[in-house]
Amino acid sequence: MDVSFLGGPAPQRGVGVVAPFDFALDRELWRWVPDDVSLHLTRTPFVPVEVSLDLARMVSEHETLREAVGALCAVSPEVVAYACTSGSFVSGVAGERAMSAAMSRAGGTVALTTSGALLDALRELGARRIAVVTPYTRSVTDALEEYLREAGVQVCGRSYLGLTREIWRVPYRDVVDMARAAVADGPEALFISCTNLPTYDVIPQLEAELRMPVISANQVTMWAALRSIGKEAVGPYQALLDPAARRGPAALPPAALPAPALPPDTPVVSLTAEVPVVPVAPMPETVPGTVPETLPEAVQEAVPELQPGPVLAEAAETALPEEER
């Protein structure tokens, strides 16, 4: 069969992704990517260490990142993203900038990290007072809060799971429970940390419930990487990706939701007020099959065939089949 008429495949833009060795959410990253963009993923070498500050430092060493970016150069991505939140905030704001610079030099292209993308996303949303949700231990969560504080972002609430392995198995219901607990003090936005924590489907539901922008590690990474090459991330009604969503329920606190307005001069009726009983005159007695003698004159003129007296009795009888009479 000749398929030359198809003319494809369509040209693709390339985005390189460096992920930690235990990253398990390749499919989630792809869900934010438009059809004319391809992701090229590589991973850092395995080390027998659980999720911790020590692991974050090991997977973000400059030499490790340079080697990973070098492997991606064979497919010439237009941008390279380091998809690891803890690995990119563990050394503070200056450390994150140094990682991006090292990756850019290694690949000769634009480079960014998840934590750097997080700060860009908060600036995009105008959020400086946020809540954070993490699957990490307390020490790693503390390091995230310190990174944000250094960048001028206040953390007014947080929740964490204390996990050190298999974070990708956390169900959405646990993410939702943490989010509800973290936002008690009314932040301007919620950040869900860790690129190994599933978040894609839960973001729009949380934004609708919490009435605030909700951003996640994988979301901001893809948003920033695609934006750097002039492309837009795709996602269902997410405030970061769709400015219209920022003007919808995610932008309104519960108290700001307007009550339905009544038309001018609409009387307000109390359901508990006593309703007066108006006496109704009794209907005149009538004989079945007749029209009352008191039927208004105008009505009698309109239906002269229904004058007082027997009504259609004979016609009704003759209309029946003979056997039913």
Side-chain angles (χ1 to χ4, degrees):
M1 179 179 178
D2 182 12
V3 294
S4 59
F5 68 92
L6 294 175
Q12 294 282 297
R13 312 283 296 275
V15 172
V17 178
V18 178
F21 64 89
D22 62 345
F23 181 71
L25 298 182
D26 304 53
R27 174 61 186 148
E28 176 160 292
L29 292 184
W30 276 97
R31 297 179 75 182
W32 274 290
V33 177
D35 289 342
D36 61 345
V37 174
S38 286
L39 296 183
H40 310 299
L41 279 85
T42 191
R43 284 167 168 74
T44 61
F46 170 80
V47 289
V49 178
E50 294 182 330
V51 176
S52 61
L53 289 175
D54 288 338
L55 178 62
R57 295 186 184 98
M58 295 175 72
V59 296
S60 59
E61 293 176 348
H62 288 195
E63 184 59 31
T64 298
L65 296 178
R66 282 194 291 265
E67 291 179 2
V69 172
L72 290 172
C73 286
V75 292
S76 303
E78 297 179 54
V79 59
V80 174
Y82 179 39
C84 180
T85 323
S86 60
S88 54
F89 69 60
V90 69
S91 298
V93 173
E96 186 279 326
R97 291 172 181 164
M99 289 177 208
S100 296
M103 293 168 63
S104 182
R105 287 193 299 270
T109 187
V110 177
L112 56 91
T113 74
T114 297
S115 294
L118 165 61
L119 299 184
D120 289 343
L122 292 176
R123 283 190 286 268
E124 175 76 10
L125 296 170
R128 308 299 288 177
R129 185 173 180 272
I130 72 169
V132 297
V133 164
T134 88
Y136 312 135
T137 61
R138 178 173 181 172
S139 61
V140 181
T141 305
D142 288 344
L144 170 59
E145 186 170 349
E146 178 58 33
Y147 171 80
L148 290 167
R149 185 183 301 112
E150 185 184 353
V153 178
Q154 178 189 356
V155 175
C156 63
R158 70 182 198 177
S159 297
Y160 58 92
L161 290 176
L163 300 180
T164 60
R165 64 179 68 186
E166 298 188 349
I167 290 171
W168 67 88
R169 299 188 188 277
V170 174
Y172 282 147
R173 63 177 175 270
D174 290 354
V175 177
V176 170
D177 289 344
M178 286 194 295
R180 290 169 176 163
V183 300
D185 288 338
E188 298 169 339
L190 170 70
F191 172 58
I192 306 174
S193 190
C194 189
T195 55
N196 229 3
L197 185 66
T199 58
Y200 184 90
D201 295 303
V202 81
I203 290 174
Q205 284 75 17
L206 277 176
E207 288 190 340
E209 176 184 336
L210 304 179
R211 309 291 185 185
M212 68 181 66
V214 175
I215 56 178
S216 75
N218 282 333
Q219 181 205 46
V220 300
T221 304
M222 289 295 97
W223 168 79
L226 291 165
R227 188 172 70 157
S228 73
I229 62 171
K231 301 296 294 183
E232 294 183 356
V234 296
Y237 203 76
Q238 299 174 19
L240 177 62
L241 312 186
D242 182 3
R246 303 174 204 174
R247 298 190 294 270
L252 298 175
L257 293 175
L262 295 174
D265 303 324
T266 301
V268 178
V269 179
S270 171
L271 296 179
T272 59
E274 184 177 346
V275 180
V277 177
V278 179
V280 180
M283 293 292 291
E285 288 189 17
T286 62
V287 177
T290 67
V291 177
E293 297 291 343
T294 56
L295 190 69
E297 204 173 296
V299 177
Q300 293 190 28
E301 290 176 0
V303 284
E305 71 278 11
L306 295 181
Q307 293 302 311
V311 180
L312 303 180
E314 185 178 347
E317 184 178 348
T318 56
L320 292 170
E322 185 174 349
E323 62 273 11
E324 294 183 15
R325 292 177 190 172

